[in-house]
Amino acid sequence: MKERLEALRQEALEELNQVADPGVLNDLRIKYLGKKGALTEILRGMGGLSNEERPIIGQVGNEVRAAIEAVIGEKQEQFIRQETENRLRAETIDVTLPGTKVSAGAVHPLNKVVQEIEDIFIGMGYTVAEGPEVETDYYNFEALNLPKNHPARDMQDSFYITDEILMRTQTSPVQIRTMKAMNGKSPVKIICPGKVYRRDDDDATHSFQFNQIEGLVIDKNIRMSDLKGTLLQFVQQIFGEQTQIRLRPSFFPFTEPSAEVDVTCVQCGGHGCRMCKQSGWLEILGCGMVHPRVLEMGGYDPNEVSGFAFGMGVERIALLKYGIDDIRHFYTNDLRFLSQFARM
Ligand code: DAH
């Protein structure tokens, strides 16, 4: 019997040493140590042993069981270790791999210019006002001293929705809206950025929809020199300190006198180049002293207060500032164009 136990130990240990799978290990445990296993099977014969032999065989049996259990325990531990190792290896993060790039958007160049212009005027004490893009004929034209059939309406071909409602052709109606909202109280000091619409065919310098920034100041004793000083301050901040301006007499129905403002060419500094058509100057905005009738229609007494106003095209400023040659780049959403402004 002792030999059978020794043989069993030998056979079990050999077989266990080959095991490479936890499932097989469990099968072997049942095969050797289970209730109907090989060891139990042999020990069942102990009843036929003498009293002297029984404890000896019993002890050998225990040793065999302990030896087999020890090897199974070791194997189990080995499998657990192996599994942990495998899992750790599979879950390893290579911190040296390049990361997934999160591409952030950028502010559109036109909005960038609007923000910059707003900052400049806010720095001079202006507040930002807004008005509707769908506007009445009254605010867009009549209250700005452009009665029906006035020839100056031809300067701005319009998208009419009804006879009395249109897409605003300019941000100037916000002047009247602001004056009325202020109820005749001065001072008024606003700029108004916004989209405007005209029946133009799109080309390199025209678009049926574009952006303007309007400015309006009303107070006692506002003079043309205040307007000129304000605009000089503005252009030197947006185009550089060396920039100069000149005012040319012009006509707008809502200002008197009216002027067109030129800046020294942003490219050649005023010597003359292709950009400024050799003149040294670039036109950038219209302005003037608020017409007394417009002040009246806005609810102000022209004998008490005076004001100046100006209006500029944002696209034009952006074209000049960034040296862009076609206004359509702003609307076609080509990322090769737009992404250039991400870093500016
Ligand atoms: N609204 C004019 C336009 O669209 C621009 C303009 C000129 C606005 C003179 C003004 C101004 O406020 O005083 O052509």
Side-chain angles (χ1 to χ4, degrees), residues 80-147:
I80 290 169
R81 232 181 297 124
Q82 186 99 43
E83 198 196 302
T84 315
E85 242 169 64
N86 287 347
R87 210 179 47 235
L88 285 179
R89 202 170 305 121
E91 289 174 359
T92 313
I93 295 167
D94 183 351
V95 291
T96 65
L97 279 177
T100 318
K101 201 172 164 201
V102 181
S103 56
V107 178
H108 191 280
L110 282 179
N111 289 333
K112 222 174 181 116
V113 170
V114 171
Q115 284 169 6
E116 201 176 324
I117 295 173
E118 282 180 358
D119 282 349
I120 293 172
F121 282 101
I122 287 169
M124 291 195 263
Y126 287 68
T127 51
V128 178
E130 277 183 357
E133 288 172 31
V134 180
E135 189 52 283
T136 60
D137 184 273
Y138 175 77
Y139 281 115
N140 195 78
F141 288 131
E142 275 184 62
L144 288 164
N145 203 23
L146 269 125

Side-chain angles (χ1 to χ4, degrees), residues 145-161:
N145 203 23
L146 269 125
K148 291 213 162 63
N149 305 318
H150 191 289
R153 286 197 179 198
D154 287 350
M155 289 160 72
Q156 301 177 4
D157 276 343
S158 318
F159 290 116
Y160 274 90
I161 292 163

Side-chain angles (χ1 to χ4, degrees), residues 16 22 51 57 75 94 100 165 189 222-223 226 243 296 298:
L16 283 169
N51 283 349
I57 295 300
K75 277 273 172 189
D94 183 351
T100 318
I165 297 171
K189 211 171 171 189
I222 296 292
R223 292 168 303 194
D226 298 317
T243 315
E296 260 168 16

